Amino acid sequence: MAARLSLPEVDLCCTICCDIFRDPVVLKCSHSFCGSCLRDYWAHRGLGRDCPLCRRELLADDDPVPSLTLKHLCEACVSDDGGGGGGPASLSSPTGEQLYTDPGEMCPHHGEPLKLFCLEDREPICVVCHTSRRHKQHDCCPAGEAVADVKAEIKICIGSLQERMVQFEKMKQNYEDTAEHIQEQAQFVERRLREDFQELYLFLEEMERTKMAALKKAEEAKSRAVRLLMDGVEASISSLADSIAALEEEMALGGIPLLHKCKHSNVGRTRTPPECAAMPAGTLINVAKHLASLKYSVWMKMYNIVRYTPVTLDPNTAAPWLRLSDDLTEVSDGDGRRKLPENPERFDRDAGVLGHQGFSSGTWSWDVEVGDNTAWVVGVAGESVRRKEKVSSVQTHGYVTVYFYRGMYFAGTSPLTRLNLMSSPRSVRVKLEYEKGRVSFTDAVTKTQVYTFKHTFTEKVYPYLWVGCQQCPLKIMPMEVMLKVKSNDGQ
């Protein structure tokens, strides 16, 4: 039939059946086909949906769209042909329900469009399903409303997942920063270990040189004294040899000449030979003096280079804007926030830092040099204090402290207690008596009492410092160490 059509009529033919369009539909690619021809084409292929002409794949929501303009043109063409031509003459005016419908939008049980959505079973149904036993008395809504609701839920879910994605990205970045920080920590500790051990090596080498020099000096002095003694003995031996030789000559004379000679002979003088001098005391090297408790004596001399601080600050707890000294005994306020891992031990809203060692029993004390610092807090903090939010340093939050701010001294009670001190302490001594539930603060120089807390401890506590001054750091003071040798009787 296509062979006897005019050119305009050819443009109105379906490329699948080669006849004038019946119920024409248009695809996304702008190609048009009969609705029934397109359904049959896709049913036979069974490999998804594509355009029969350009083979372009259709997406899930790329449904064929009825073309009313093309439909009207085809109807006009058939009317002008006088109803002849077989198939076109038999065309009738189709209704809207005869247009193409995706099989997925039809009820598999009743063949009706899926226009409802069962809220209880969470599935699309047709009008017949709604009256069936399976869905009877179930709450339903129009499929369009359900689609809108599902899309809204999906949008919310996508937003939630995107938020979690952002959180995981931040967590990943934090772990990457943590890995880098661990390497920096290892390099810092390695450098400090090498420096400290190098100082000890140099001290021991110097001590070794001193001990060796003393030994060499003693050896030379003792050897020189022995050589002098040996020289005296050798002189005596030489003198005796001369005397023996002279007497042997006289004895060889014999007879009267010997008698004449005896008047001037050495016999009288040699009858009492010189006595051998005994070895004087202290001739030998005093070995015991050089080796007596050598390691202990060296250890004692190490006091000049070895210092003991009762509290070592923990950099893993220090707020990001604090600055700690290399020996971890000083802390000051910095000029900006450093890029540090967000580990749970670290103070993040409060400019605090804890000591490395915690206490759950016993009596402990340490001195903190505050000097001219204009904003500081000194005391102890419980292990469970909140470190990611800013709270008042009072007992109700796990802190037992005194502090100095805007020229005034306070005790961290609830409410705060204003302290009227006679003089400003340069160094504050903190004394913790865990079992007694007591923390006392005194002026470490004048021994003047500052404040004493009575508090029952239920967890491990740590030394706590807070600083808000850049010019003058807070410093943990070293303690004097005294050694005592215990006698055998235990005294």
Side-chain angles (χ1 to χ4, degrees):
M1 180 176 184
R4 57 187 180 84
L5 289 175
S6 63
L7 182 59
E9 293 174 337
V10 171
D11 292 337
L12 300 178
C13 288
C14 172
T15 56
I16 296 178
C17 65
C18 298
D19 207 341
I20 293 179
F21 287 113
R22 293 169 295 178
D23 301 332
V25 294
V26 63
L27 301 180
K28 278 275 188 177
C29 57
S30 301
H31 294 135
S32 301
F33 307 93
C34 298
S36 58
C37 294
L38 189 60
R39 287 196 301 272
D40 293 341
Y41 170 78
W42 283 344
H44 284 92
R45 283 180 59 82
L47 298 176
R49 302 189 302 170
D50 61 359
C51 175
L53 281 180
C54 65
R55 303 301 183 186
R56 176 179 174 181
E57 292 287 339
L58 273 68
L59 300 178
D61 55 349
D62 292 342
D63 294 332
V65 179
S67 179
L68 296 179
T69 301
L70 188 58
K71 173 187 175 185
H72 293 157
L73 289 175
C74 292
E75 290 176 349
C77 179
V78 172
S79 176
D80 293 341
D81 196 34
S90 63
L91 290 175
S92 60
S93 299
T95 62
E97 286 76 12
Q98 292 175 313
L99 295 177
Y100 169 75
T101 303
D102 192 306
E105 298 181 358
M106 303 297 292
C107 177
H109 304 292
H110 307 105
E112 295 292 329
L114 300 172
K115 294 185 177 181
L116 300 175
F117 183 76
C118 179
L119 298 176
E120 185 171 333
D121 295 330
R122 305 289 297 176
E123 62 180 359
I125 61 175
C126 67
V127 177
V128 179
C129 291
H130 188 211
T131 59
S132 66
R133 181 181 303 171
R134 180 180 177 186
H135 298 281
K136 192 174 183 179
Q137 297 181 348
H138 287 184
D139 291 335
C140 298
C141 69
E145 293 182 6
V147 170
D149 292 342
V150 171
K151 286 186 176 180
E153 292 177 2
I154 293 175
K155 185 176 181 180
I156 294 174
C157 185
I158 290 175
S160 176
L161 293 177
Q162 288 175 340
E163 290 179 0
R164 292 188 65 185
M165 178 73 76
V166 172
Q167 293 175 355
F168 277 113
E169 289 291 342
K170 290 182 179 179
M171 185 179 297
K172 177 185 176 183
Q173 183 63 47
N174 187 43
Y175 283 141
E176 291 177 353
D177 295 341
T178 301
E180 182 178 351
H181 186 69
I182 290 173
Q183 293 181 350
E184 294 175 357
Q185 284 184 312
Q187 294 172 0
F188 167 75
V189 173
E190 180 180 358
R191 177 176 63 83
R192 289 292 301 166
L193 288 175
R194 292 186 184 280
E195 291 176 356
D196 289 346
F197 277 106
Q198 183 64 26
E199 186 176 2
L200 294 176
Y201 294 153
L202 293 176
F203 172 81
L204 292 176
E205 289 175 357
E206 180 62 28
M207 287 295 298
E208 181 183 8
R209 284 194 293 269
T210 301
K211 289 290 185 180
M212 291 299 183
L215 175 62
K216 188 68 175 177
K217 183 178 180 180
E219 178 190 7
E220 292 175 352
K222 298 298 182 181
S223 298
R224 186 167 50 253
V226 171
R227 282 196 296 271
L228 291 176
L229 295 174
M230 290 174 60
D231 292 342
V233 172
E234 289 177 355
S236 298
I237 293 174
S238 177
S239 176
L240 291 175
D242 293 341
S243 298
I244 291 172
L247 291 174
E248 287 178 345
E249 290 178 0
E250 292 177 1
M251 188 174 63
L253 293 176
I256 297 300
L258 177 60
L259 296 177
H260 289 294
K261 190 72 175 177
C262 68
K263 182 178 180 179
H264 304 287
S265 175
N266 291 327
V267 174
R269 295 192 301 270
T270 58
R271 286 178 179 172
T272 306
E275 296 182 356
C276 295
M279 180 183 297
T283 302
L284 301 179
I285 293 176
N286 192 345
V287 176
K289 174 184 176 182
H290 290 279
L291 296 181
S293 301
L294 176 61
K295 295 178 181 179
Y296 175 79
S297 62
V298 173
W299 183 39
M300 290 290 291
K301 291 182 180 296
M302 291 181 72
Y303 275 145
N304 295 327
I305 65 168
V306 175
R307 304 176 69 187
Y308 169 72
T309 52
V311 173
T312 300
L313 301 179
D314 185 356
N316 293 339
T317 67
W321 45 84
L322 296 183
R323 299 293 183 270
L324 272 64
S325 60
D326 283 355
D327 61 359
L328 305 179
T329 61
E330 299 182 18
V331 58
S332 61
D333 192 11
D335 54 1
R337 182 186 181 94
R338 292 184 298 160
K339 186 178 180 181
L340 294 174
E342 296 181 4
N343 53 304
E345 300 91 347
R346 190 177 308 282
F347 287 96
D348 199 11
R349 295 292 182 271
D350 193 14
V353 60
L354 297 180
H356 167 67
Q357 181 182 5
F359 311 114
S360 56
S361 64
T363 299
W364 308 85
S365 66
W366 57 93
D367 294 348
V368 181
E369 183 182 276
V370 296
D372 297 322
N373 195 294
T374 57
W376 52 263
V377 178
V378 173
V380 298
E383 188 174 27
S384 63
V385 293
R386 290 172 288 182
R387 309 184 189 191
K388 302 303 181 183
E389 57 184 281
K390 190 174 182 63
V391 298
S392 300
S393 298
V394 294
Q395 288 176 277
T396 54
H397 292 115
Y399 296 88
V400 181
T401 58
V402 295
Y403 55 96
F404 176 70
Y405 187 68
R406 293 186 177 181
M408 297 179 289
Y409 295 91
F410 297 91
T413 57
S414 184
L416 299 177
T417 300
R418 176 78 179 273
L419 303 177
N420 297 315
L421 304 182
M422 300 299 295
S423 61
S424 298
R426 307 288 297 178
S427 182
V428 177
R429 175 164 298 170
V430 183
K431 184 176 181 181
L432 167 67
E433 297 173 280
Y434 193 94
E435 285 78 8
K436 293 182 179 180
R438 183 163 57 197
V439 181
S440 58
F441 298 85
T442 56
D443 187 323
V445 178
T446 64
K447 313 303 180 185
T448 304
Q449 186 75 15
V450 175
Y451 196 82
T452 298
F453 288 87
K454 289 293 293 181
H455 182 73
T456 301
F457 297 106
T458 59
E459 61 177 342
K460 183 180 290 188
V461 295
Y462 292 80
Y464 172 78
L465 299 178
W466 180 96
V467 59
C469 177
Q470 297 183 10
Q471 291 74 24
C472 183
L474 298 182
K475 182 178 181 181
I476 305 295
M477 299 300 294
M479 292 185 67
E480 182 179 358
V481 179
M482 300 183 65
L483 298 178
K484 183 178 180 181
V485 179
K486 185 176 181 180
S487 62
N488 291 332
D489 59 2
Q491 299 298 321

